[in-house]
Amino acid sequence: MSGELELIACQPHPIESNGFNPKATLPYDCTIEHILLAMNNFVEFLGFINQQLYSKEIERLEVMLMPANFSSMVGEFMISNIPKYCSNLVKNQYQNGHPDLQQFDIKTATKVINLKDVKKKIIKKWQHIQS
């Protein structure tokens, strides 16, 4: 029976929107819908990982990891996914930066684009030197 229960525990169940406070006000035009979508992405991700682990007879990820490590993974996943749905937020690029999410700033975006261009130029020069 425990094998059957483990298999059931590996099935993702979508987060329901009625569990959120409808009066909550979130900053930078972030909505409950944005949070809900990111949370459901995590549930689907966890279900996928756990189903793969189950097929190899390995315990579920949330059982395997220490609680603080699992909590950190959930937080990092959410920080990476909320900006996919809320275009006014971006992940703070500083390691251990506070706050985790920042308001989108066109000046910062321009700097990121310029850094990518510089990286491309360096790679092209390196490839030229190697040939």
Side-chain angles (χ1 to χ4, degrees):
M1 185 69 165
S2 67
E4 186 178 322
L5 290 176
E6 277 299 307
L7 181 59
I8 292 169
C10 293
Q11 304 302 317
H13 297 280
I15 306 295
E16 296 181 18
S17 61
N18 62 0
F20 289 87
N21 178 354
K23 296 179 183 177
T25 54
L26 303 172
Y28 308 121
D29 296 326
C30 186
T31 66
I32 290 172
E33 182 70 17
H34 298 143
I35 304 298
L36 178 68
L37 290 167
M39 288 177 73
N40 278 322
N41 278 354
F42 179 76
V43 169
E44 290 172 13
F45 164 77
L46 188 61
F48 173 77
I49 296 297
N50 283 338
Q51 288 170 16
Q52 295 299 310
L53 292 171
Y54 180 83
S55 73
K56 304 288 185 191
E57 298 182 5
I58 301 171
E59 61 189 358
R60 288 177 285 125
L61 189 61
E62 61 271 29
V63 174
M64 183 187 321
L65 295 178
M66 297 287 290
N69 291 336
F70 185 74
S71 175
S72 178
M73 185 185 76
V74 172
E76 291 298 324
F77 191 98
M78 294 300 292
I79 292 164
S80 294
N81 277 268
I82 290 171
K84 290 179 182 178
Y85 302 106
C86 181
S87 60
N88 290 331
L89 291 173
V90 293
K91 181 178 179 179
N92 187 338
Q93 296 301 309
Y94 293 101
Q95 184 176 354
N96 298 324
H98 182 76
D100 295 325
L101 293 170
Q102 298 176 320
Q103 187 174 16
F104 176 77
D105 178 8
I106 192 65
K107 294 175 189 173
T108 304
T110 303
K111 289 179 186 174
V112 171
I113 292 167
N114 289 340
L115 287 175
K116 287 181 180 180
D117 290 341
V118 169
K119 184 177 177 183
K120 286 178 187 177
K121 289 177 184 177
I122 291 170
I123 290 171
K124 281 184 181 181
K125 285 183 180 180
W126 181 80
Q127 288 172 340
H128 179 70
I129 292 170
Q130 297 298 316
S131 56

